[in-house]
Structure formats: structure tokens, C-alpha cells
Amino acid sequence: MIAAIILAAGESKRMGQPKMLLPWGGTTVLGQVISVLHSAGVEDLVTVTGGFREQVEELAKGLGSRVVFNPEFANNEMLSSIQYGIGSLPAEAEAALICLGDQPQVQKGSVHRVYEAFQQGKSRLIVPSHQMRRGHPWLVARPLWDELLVMRSSQSPRDFLNIHAKEIEYVEVDNPSILQDLDTPEDYLRFKP
């Protein structure tokens, strides 16, 4: 079983408002991410919350995602959210997709490619790539989780990927959506449907 960890703990400082709750088509930014993951066949989703906790948790639960709160969200970057997400996964989970909650541009086909690469080859680390650039969501198999869990707050997911650079199985994706997320009002206006 592959689970998805949706990183949605940020404080949206650059956006100036809770970006997970911003309208996106007929749903919200986070709602679109959850919908794409469900449509790609991911059954177990956990949304890691922090800033705007109550609203984000209510939204995520209403869309079929479990939630876990990262009490360190204001002090740490993405790594602590990944660690809390991994800590909440069930014993039967073989791998985790690391997904950005502020990446509603993510496409079902991209998720599917990563998902299928794991099922076919059982690589421990699978990363989507567009024009030689790493994107999201990337997948990490259970044998590498302990290593992520003991990383210090001064380290980042990029450090982890760099350490394992020779092990990464890259899945080429033919669109740039895996590289796009929403950080600023300008990003939102440029990408929103």
C-alpha cells in the first residue's frame, strides 16, 4: 500500500492568506490536491497541518483525508512535517508519496507515473522529473523512513535526496506541473483555473 503525506502546515506568509483554502475551480487549493490523489488511486491520505489548523483540518477531513498536526510548524521547514506524516502512517504502508498541499496544478498522470514506477520496480526512491529538474510528489519507501525520521531540523528533504542521489529512479513527466506550487498572490493569479 502506498500512502500520501500532504504537506499543508505552512503559515502562508508570502500569500497573505491561508492558501490551502483559496478557491481553485470548483473546490479549494487543498481540495484539488486531495481530489487528484484520490483519482490516481491513492487510498490513504494524511494531511499535515500547522498554520490555520482548524480550517485546514476541517477541509481535509471533509474530503477523506486523515490529519496530523505538526506542533513545530512555525519553527521548522518541510522536514518536520514529513516526519510527523511518516509517524502517522499505518504498518501496512510500503511507501509514502510526499505531496505539496499548495500544488493544485499536480496532475493525475504524474502521480500515476510515480505510483506505477514503485509497483513495477520497487525502487526505494522515485522522483518525477521535468527537463532534468526534480519535482513533487516524490516517493520514499519504508526502508528509508528511519533515516528521514532521525534527520535534524537543520537538514532538509533536499539534503536527503542528495545523499541518495545515486539511488533515485527518475520518472520523466512531460509537463511542468510537478515543479509548480503557490507561494505568492502572483503565483495564484498566474496558475488558477
Side-chain angles (χ1 to χ4, degrees), residues 95 117-118 120-126 139-141 167-169:
F118 178 73
Q120 291 169 6
K122 296 295 184 191
S123 294
R124 299 191 317 167
L125 203 51
I126 301 169
L139 180 144
V140 57
E167 295 177 56
I168 295 173
E169 178 182 342

Side-chain angles (χ1 to χ4, degrees), residues 34-166:
I34 290 172
S35 173
V36 168
L37 291 169
H38 278 311
S39 71
V42 184
E43 294 176 19
D44 185 40
L45 281 72
V46 60
T47 300
V48 183
T49 65
F52 310 101
R53 178 183 182 181
E54 294 79 15
Q55 302 100 305
V56 174
E57 287 187 356
E58 182 180 345
L59 174 63
K61 287 177 186 176
L63 295 168
S65 174
R66 295 183 298 111
V67 297
V68 62
F69 176 64
N70 174 2
E72 301 172 41
F73 74 93
N75 305 325
N76 289 308
E77 293 295 321
M78 204 178 284
L79 178 63
S80 64
S81 287
I82 292 172
Q83 291 169 331
Y84 278 97
I86 286 174
S88 75
L89 295 182
E92 60 269 22
E94 298 174 69
L97 277 168
I98 308 300
C99 310
L100 301 179
D102 64 351
Q103 191 179 43
Q105 307 94 316
V106 69
Q107 297 180 7
K108 175 183 173 181
S110 302
V111 177
H112 229 73
R113 298 276 318 271
V114 173
Y115 197 98
E116 288 174 345
F118 178 73
Q119 291 178 319
Q120 291 169 6
K122 296 295 184 191
S123 294
R124 299 191 317 167
L125 203 51
I126 301 169
V127 178
S129 170
H130 179 71
Q131 297 179 352
M132 304 298 287
R133 294 180 60 205
R134 295 176 185 160
H136 287 85
W138 51 275
L139 180 144
V140 57
R142 182 177 283 277
L144 292 175
W145 291 0
D146 284 345
E147 192 175 326
L148 270 168
L149 289 170
V150 298
M151 288 179 73
R152 304 226 180 258
S153 60
S154 60
Q155 296 174 295
S156 72
R158 180 175 284 134
D159 294 328
F160 173 78
L161 292 173
N162 288 340
I163 290 166
H164 292 279
K166 291 182 179 166

